[in-house]
């Protein structure tokens, strides 16, 4: 099958950020501008203080699932839309796996045809592993 799913790989996100930022800067059009804005907002989120108890794990899918997220934006954000994303609930089997808003793995992979590698988050909850586009579980909400 073309565009097969890659297995998650443990890689430091910070090492690849410079290369990805350079790619985004070179990219023109609406998708490129959207991705740059997302990077800026994501950087601001990283500056927030950590959550305290009872929160033990926080996932940032735009860090570890940036590749499929970029593929999604480049495919579906080509022309102006009358849409405003105010926030995205990642859900443990949706965006937390794929980096695609409201996108459980099967729909992202098979229906939207999004591809890309998904890394492991720095701190992964044992009951909510990140399997990327190969995740077989579905969101119930």
């Amino acid at each position: 099958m073309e565009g097969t799913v890659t297995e998650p790989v443990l890689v430091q996100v910070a090492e690849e950020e410079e290369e990805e930022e350079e790619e985004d800067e070179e990219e023109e059009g609406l998708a490129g501008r959207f991705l740059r804005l997302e990077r800026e907002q994501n950087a601001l989120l990283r500056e927030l203080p950590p959550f305290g108890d009872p929160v033990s794990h926080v996932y940032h899918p735009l860090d570890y699932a940036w590749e499929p997220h970029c593929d999604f934006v480049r495919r579906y954000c080509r022309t102006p839309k009358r849409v405003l994303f105010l926030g995205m609930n990642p859900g443990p089997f949706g965006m937390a796996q794929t980096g695609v808003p409201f996108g459980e793995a099967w729909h992202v992979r098979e229906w939207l045809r999004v591809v890309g590698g998904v890394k492991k988050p720095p701190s992964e909850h044992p009951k909510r592993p990140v399997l990327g586009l190969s995740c077989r579980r579905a969101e119930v909400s």
Side-chain angles (χ1 to χ4, degrees):
M1 181 171 100
E2 191 172 326
T4 56
V5 178
T6 58
E7 290 298 317
V9 178
L10 289 173
V11 178
Q12 298 239 348
V13 173
E15 294 174 0
E16 295 179 355
E17 283 181 5
E18 287 181 27
E19 288 177 17
E20 290 168 353
E21 285 175 11
E22 288 173 10
E23 288 174 17
D24 293 344
E25 288 172 8
E26 293 173 4
E27 187 172 2
E28 294 182 20
L30 186 60
R33 292 192 310 267
F34 189 81
L35 291 169
R36 278 193 297 279
L37 285 171
E38 284 187 311
R39 277 237 180 255
E40 291 169 12
Q41 294 301 307
N42 209 21
L44 293 172
L45 283 174
R46 282 190 209 104
E47 294 175 12
L48 291 175
F51 291 98
D53 287 337
V55 176
S56 62
H57 294 76
V58 176
Y59 285 9
H60 296 281
L62 293 188
D63 285 339
Y64 61 82
W66 184 248
E67 282 184 26
H69 179 76
C70 286
D71 187 46
F72 168 75
V73 170
R74 289 179 183 126
R75 285 174 187 264
Y76 299 105
C77 189
R78 295 175 182 232
T79 59
K81 309 282 190 263
R82 296 183 72 181
V83 174
L84 173 63
F85 283 113
L86 295 175
M88 295 173 257
N89 179 356
F93 309 111
M95 187 174 177
Q97 298 291 332
T98 66
V100 174
F102 314 107
E104 66 185 16
W106 187 90
H107 287 98
V108 169
R109 185 181 64 244
E110 302 298 327
W111 189 60
L112 295 174
R113 299 288 184 208
V114 168
V115 296
V118 176
K119 303 169 189 128
K120 290 286 189 179
S123 176
E124 188 175 51
H125 192 285
K127 292 184 178 179
R128 298 291 184 260
V130 172
L131 304 172
L133 296 174
S134 63
C135 180
R136 300 285 178 222
R137 301 222 20 206
E139 280 293 338
V140 294
S141 57

